[in-house]
Amino acid sequence: MLDQRPLAGIRVVELAGLAPGPFGGMVLSDFGADVVRVDPAGVTESTDVLSRGKRSISLSLKDPRGLAVLKTMLSAPTTDKSLWRADVLIDPFRPGVLERLGLAPADLLKANPGLIIARVTGFRREGPYGKMAGHDINYIALSGVLSMIGRKGDKPLFPLNLLGKAFDRDFAGGGLMAALGVVMAIVERNKTGKGQVVEIDMVTGARYLSSFVLMLAKPSYEGASFSGPRGENLLDSGAPFYEVYETKDGGYMSLGALEPKFYKEFLTILLKSVPASLIPSPAPTPTSRFDIDTWPTLRSFFEAAFLHRTRDDWTSIYIGTDSCCVPVLSPLEVDSHGLSSIEPGNTVSEEGSTPVPAPTLSRTPARGVKDWQDSDTFVIVPGRDTRDVMREAGLGGEVEKLVKDGVMGASKKDSKL
Amino acid sequence: MFKSSVLHAAKRLPLTGVKVLEFGGLAPGPYAGMILADFGADVVRVDRTGISYNRDQLTRNKRSIAINAKSDGGKEVLQRLAASSDVIIDPFRPGVLERLGVGPKDCERLSEGKAIFARLTGYRSQGPYSKMAGHDLNYLALSGVLATIRPPGLPPIPPNNYMGDYAGGGLMCALGVMMALFERSVSGLGQLVEADMVTGARYIGTGPFLRARPDANLGPGWAEPAGQNVLDGGCPFYALYPCADGQFVSIAPLEEKFYAEFIELLAKSGVTADDPGFAPSKAAQHDRQEWPALRAHYASIFKQKTRDEWATYFLHTDACVAPVLEPHEIGPDGEGLLEVDGQRAWSEHGGIPEPAPSLARTPALRASDWYQSKATPAEQYFLTPGAHTKEILQAAGYSEGQIAEMLAAKVVQG
């Protein structure tokens, strides 16, 4: 069956590690790459939830025979194209670990000049943090971006799911950027036949992602919109018309009415939707919006106004308008395709749903969502596919001995894919 | 065909020869175009005529042509450019480029199937929001992601605009374009790439969303309400603490061995906590009953020295402690204040980030080369509409005479 996905035919070895590596591998896998995760022999459980579509072999890299297996998989393709050889290696370890394992990139590239080696670290390699342990919150702390999130007077807020483990660092600044770099290297390799080392660290990745925000954080820069203290800028809760407000039922509405015509539409509707007693005197007008002296009153008014109705009420009032006022949905209220339970006729399962890959490629899309609804497809057992992968790599004859000697692990006797 | 005056690295660029037509917009479209330009693509921004200023600042390494798309002559120019482009970036609401004769189907026909048409929107293209105006905060709101950015018990906080506009939007779009480029090298065909920021933001949140599912069975600390999880403030040793100077440190010693190192170093720091009888222990690390006391204990210690004192103390250790730096304290390559021996090696306003990732053999253009080669901020950040109209038209095969006519008729500007 012809695999229509864009990265069909690309083979990836992903050395098991934390978040950014698996996420990068997951993106490549979603879009068609054949990703094999290498788990350390002896590990029987994994909490990696990003393993859908991947396979796992279990291998001891400390044993020379195990190392030899991996090196074979990373070596140059032979004339028999059906033999499994990697195009990409994902290295999630601290600088030096790969080298100490006997897998120095220079050696790997000598053996296979077409190999693309993606090295993903948290801290930058240069400088004193390069060899230190750390986690997401540390990386975003060093990026400058964490200091910019939070309300006025509060300490910075690290959003677990965004800046932190998910977005900026591990995922957007780390894994997603790693995937981008890998695909760029693959495209470049088409022209030259040569691979290379692709390095991403999460501090640099997060900063690149935040280029615009950081540019405008410079106080001397004309038009700086992010140079004030935390929580006092345009897009960080400093402005009452770019904020999140609580509703009567404890839900939240987001308001992002930046442009004059959108703000006018928002305000006109708001004034009609609350009792007159709530409206301050003089009433806010569309043109008085940038008078910063009025912001405290404006903010109090908006707070009181939104508290007057439920979230779903406000949702219906503003739907179909250009008011830039939409409900804040919890992850569980949104299904795989981003449809939410507030849209008529749509129901969302209680657990919410697995987000679909993005973006959509019309002719060669990523794999569909139906495959992933069960948890046992998104957390795979280490070593589940050892036998299959070894066979595909042309090493099938050695498997049983290596398993017996503990150099490899295989969790299924006869795994069929 | 020459590019505008920027210093080219001696090494080859990964995207040399890739021609991108970026219709002028704000934030996500320009960011996607900037990534491609940073990595060597030839990016032309299409501006409209009649304006002398475009406030887009993500313009490095790009050129601009200004076209009156409402005129027949202008439409013809657009179509000719689209026909020879590898990638088209459309940031408008669907329908706009169709009306100008350069929608996805038009470009497919004009390019004989080769063009990669990247459509970037905020809301999803289906559903009632698709025709509504919105901004980053709104897209995040609908994605489920904004709900998770909040201090416990308090409303979610607008986190600037890099999660929707840049991560879920521009970066995602660039990734899709790259994948389509690779696929085209196999099939010979382009396609439509659609990136909306709701879906993009959600995709990036896959990990936390999956971990938060009850059937992921990861135990306590992963599926609790916001602010009560291990990684979102619920855990005292994955948190920020204020220091004596009002700045903050981040601590994250999650693993047992890192935690052991952390508490040992705290004990040796010479600082006495407010509760001297209380001693954190390895054994009690995950005892949630102890966590309030642990939090108070750490807070009382950290507030007694400055951020930089703590940062120095924990340098070269595996205690997972790092200072929260402000933008102006960081240089262009991400080097933080403490990493340059107390000397500020860059201007007082901090560095503009370099592209990522680093491709060792074929790296991106250095952002600092661009900014240093420009004499004024205006030249550094802004791209004058139509600055390169003539050379772009020449390269597209128009004669001097034709170009002069078009300029005179205001079909193009430049």
Side-chain angles (χ1 to χ4, degrees):
Chain A
M1 187 180 70
L2 196 64
D3 188 333
Q4 285 286 90
R5 291 176 293 160
L7 301 182
I10 298 291
R11 291 161 164 160
V12 181
V13 166
E14 175 197 311
L15 298 176
L18 292 181
F23 185 71
M26 185 192 88
V27 172
L28 298 175
S29 166
D30 283 348
F31 284 91
D34 173 359
V35 178
V36 171
R37 189 182 76 196
V38 176
D39 285 296
V43 169
T44 51
E45 274 181 13
S46 167
T47 55
D48 172 11
V49 296
L50 301 173
S51 49
R52 67 192 184 215
K54 299 179 188 175
R55 296 189 288 169
S56 161
I57 69 172
S58 168
L59 194 56
S60 168
L61 293 179
K62 303 216 164 90
D63 186 302
R65 290 174 294 169
L67 193 62
V69 166
L70 184 58
K71 280 188 171 165
T72 301
M73 291 171 69
L74 296 172
S75 61
T78 64
T79 44
D80 180 358
K81 295 284 174 246
S82 70
L83 278 186
W84 205 101
R85 294 290 180 267
D87 297 289
V88 180
L89 170 67
I90 299 178
D91 160 27
F93 304 130
R94 288 196 233 181
V97 172
L98 202 62
E99 286 84 347
R100 277 198 297 281
L101 288 172
L103 296 165
D107 297 335
L108 294 177
L109 284 171
K110 213 151 148 218
N112 181 2
L115 187 63
I116 291 153
I117 303 170
R119 310 193 75 174
V120 190
T121 58
F123 291 123
R124 294 167 47 246
R125 286 160 199 284
E126 306 78 21
Y129 290 93
K131 295 201 179 359
M132 290 165 59
H135 280 288
D136 203 271
I137 193 179
N138 305 132
Y139 314 141
I140 67 174
L142 289 186
S143 72
V145 168
L146 176 57
S147 72
M148 299 173 77
I149 304 182
R151 290 221 157 78
K152 178 177 169 180
D154 282 351
K155 63 181 180 182
L157 177 74
F158 56 99
L160 139 80
N161 298 309
L162 301 223
L163 270 205
K165 265 303 184 182
F167 268 59
D168 256 344
R169 247 52 27 172
D170 287 354
F171 299 152
L176 191 62
M177 283 228 185
L180 177 72
V182 163
V183 180
M184 284 204 196
I186 291 174
V187 165
E188 197 281 335
R189 185 178 73 172
N190 268 359
K191 294 188 269 182
T192 60
K194 296 186 199 159
Q196 59 185 306
V197 174
V198 175
E199 280 178 358
I200 185 70
D201 70 82
M202 294 184 241
V203 177
T204 308
R207 286 176 57 75
Y208 186 45
L209 192 64
S210 312
S211 286
F212 175 76
V213 172
L214 291 171
M215 259 182 225
L216 271 63
K218 292 160 157 290
S220 64
Y221 172 67
E222 191 191 304
S225 318
F226 298 96
S227 59
R230 181 169 57 250
E232 297 184 36
N233 299 285
L234 191 65
L235 301 182
D236 69 358
S237 78
F241 45 84
Y242 198 88
E243 245 292 24
V244 176
Y245 290 99
E246 189 175 349
T247 57
K248 186 172 183 184
D249 54 339
Y252 298 98
M253 292 296 288
S254 69
L255 173 61
L258 292 174
E259 287 82 348
K261 55 184 174 175
F262 302 154
Y263 181 70
K264 184 172 175 193
E265 192 163 347
F266 160 73
L267 189 62
T268 308
I269 295 173
L270 188 75
L271 292 171
K272 284 194 275 198
S273 309
V274 296
S277 55
L278 280 183
I279 302 174
S281 181
T285 68
T287 44
S288 64
R289 164 165 73 136
F290 278 110
D291 183 355
I292 297 192
D293 291 338
T294 66
W295 280 9
T297 315
L298 198 57
R299 188 184 288 275
S300 305
F301 167 51
F302 289 165
E303 280 169 3
F306 279 106
L307 280 173
H308 184 68
R309 291 176 183 270
T310 65
R311 187 196 73 179
D312 290 357
D313 222 359
W314 284 117
T315 300
S316 331
I317 286 172
Y318 279 110
I319 207 159
T321 74
D322 275 352
S323 309
C324 304
C325 187
V326 316
V328 178
L329 302 178
S330 82
L332 303 181
E333 290 183 289
V334 194
D335 80 358
S336 307
H337 296 279
L339 292 170
S340 64
S341 48
I342 56 162
E343 293 175 43
N346 193 43
T347 52
V348 178
S349 85
E350 266 173 20
E351 291 112 6
S353 282
T354 313
V356 291
T360 307
L361 271 62
S362 60
R363 187 172 49 79
T364 64
R367 70 167 74 228
V369 170
K370 283 200 278 280
D371 303 335
W372 310 322
Q373 294 310 323
D374 299 322
S375 64
D376 63 3
T377 57
F378 63 80
V379 179
I380 60 175
V381 177
R384 183 192 65 181
D385 309 289
T386 296
R387 291 190 172 84
D388 283 348
V389 175
M390 287 287 278
R391 251 195 312 270
E392 289 174 26
L395 302 169
E398 304 173 27
V399 177
E400 296 315 321
K401 175 103 180 51
L402 292 173
V403 169
K404 187 150 160 278
D405 292 349
V407 176
M408 297 197 78
S411 59
K412 273 196 200 168
K413 195 93 186 108
D414 234 305
S415 87
K416 291 194 193 340
L417 216 62
Chain B
M1 181 163 68
F2 67 95
K3 294 181 93 139
S4 53
S5 59
V6 76
L7 300 166
H8 280 284
K11 296 184 175 185
R12 56 175 298 126
L13 294 157
L15 302 184
T16 304
V18 175
K19 293 165 72 170
V20 181
L21 202 62
E22 173 198 313
F23 282 87
L26 278 182
Y31 185 62
M34 187 184 90
I35 293 173
L36 299 174
D38 280 345
F39 283 89
D42 170 0
V43 179
V44 168
R45 188 183 74 193
V46 179
D47 284 300
R48 54 189 175 87
T49 54
I51 52 167
S52 55
Y53 169 71
N54 179 328
R55 62 186 172 133
D56 165 26
Q57 284 126 42
L58 299 174
T59 62
R60 63 184 187 233
N61 299 313
K62 298 179 188 176
R63 296 185 293 163
S64 163
I65 184 172
I67 302 176
N68 178 359
K70 299 203 164 76
S71 68
D72 289 338
K75 285 192 174 70
E76 200 274 332
V77 171
L78 271 182
Q79 284 165 3
R80 194 187 290 208
L81 291 176
S84 63
S85 296
D86 297 293
V87 180
I88 292 142
I89 298 178
D90 168 16
F92 304 125
R93 292 193 227 187
V96 170
L97 285 188
E98 280 86 339
R99 283 195 289 282
L100 298 179
V102 281
K105 291 212 175 4
D106 302 310
C107 292
E108 186 179 10
R109 184 180 37 84
L110 289 163
S111 68
E112 295 174 314
K114 291 199 178 20
I116 290 154
F117 193 102
R119 181 149 261 185
L120 243 181
T121 58
Y123 294 123
R124 294 167 44 248
S125 53
Q126 301 87 25
Y129 289 93
S130 60
K131 295 197 181 0
M132 292 163 57
H135 279 290
D136 181 282
L137 189 65
N138 305 130
Y139 315 139
L140 280 193
L142 289 188
S143 70
V145 155
L146 181 58
T148 63
I149 314 179
R150 53 187 296 203
L154 291 171
I157 295 181
N160 292 308
N161 66 332
Y162 51 89
M163 295 184 217
D165 283 342
Y166 299 115
L171 181 62
M172 206 56 90
C173 176
L175 177 69
V177 163
M178 290 310 309
M179 291 204 260
L181 273 173
F182 172 66
E183 195 283 332
R184 188 178 76 170
S185 72
V186 173
S187 68
L189 296 171
Q191 60 185 305
L192 174 63
V193 174
E194 287 175 280
D196 74 82
M197 294 182 238
V198 176
T199 310
R202 278 182 60 71
Y203 188 43
I204 296 179
T206 296
F209 288 171
L210 285 177
R211 281 201 294 261
R213 282 171 62 142
D215 58 353
N217 286 322
L218 291 178
W222 297 100
E224 318 294 343
Q228 294 175 43
N229 295 286
V230 173
L231 298 182
D232 72 356
C235 170
F237 44 91
Y238 194 91
L240 304 177
Y241 289 94
C243 305
D245 54 351
Q247 296 279 31
F248 296 87
V249 280
S250 64
I251 73 166
L254 293 174
E255 290 84 348
E256 214 179 279
K257 55 186 172 176
F258 301 154
Y259 188 70
E261 189 164 345
F262 170 69
I263 57 178
E264 191 187 319
L265 286 167
L266 270 191
K268 284 200 240 163
S269 67
V271 174
T272 320
D274 292 347
D275 51 351
F278 177 88
S281 70
K282 247 177 72 169
Q285 179 184 6
H286 294 286
D287 180 355
R288 282 166 171 255
Q289 309 276 41
E290 282 237 317
W291 278 10
L294 213 48
R295 199 184 283 281
H297 180 80
Y298 297 149
S300 74
I301 292 179
F302 282 112
K303 73 173 192 241
Q304 295 183 53
K305 283 192 196 265
T306 66
R307 177 197 73 180
D308 291 357
E309 284 174 314
W310 285 120
T312 309
Y313 181 65
F314 282 104
L315 213 51
H316 305 300
T317 73
D318 274 351
C320 304
V321 177
V324 178
L325 299 180
E326 296 184 340
H328 65 276
E329 299 181 297
I330 306 167
D333 283 301
E335 64 276 28
L337 194 54
L338 293 174
E339 300 175 44
V340 281
D341 298 324
Q343 300 287 326
R344 288 177 198 260
W346 50 86
S347 85
E348 62 173 354
H349 300 302
I352 296 177
E354 292 295 336
S358 144
L359 270 60
R361 185 173 53 80
T362 64
L365 294 166
R366 294 269 307 160
S368 41
D369 286 348
W370 171 270
Y371 297 110
Q372 279 160 22
S373 72
K374 303 297 168 199
T376 65
E379 291 172 290
Q380 286 174 327
Y381 299 110
F382 299 100
L383 176 58
T384 304
H388 309 91
T389 295
K390 288 202 197 94
E391 73 186 57
I392 293 169
L393 289 174
Q394 268 162 4
Y398 291 97
S399 70
E400 295 280 351
Q402 288 171 312
I403 296 173
E405 264 178 48
M406 289 194 278
L407 284 167
K410 295 202 186 344
V411 165
V412 298
Q413 176 184 299

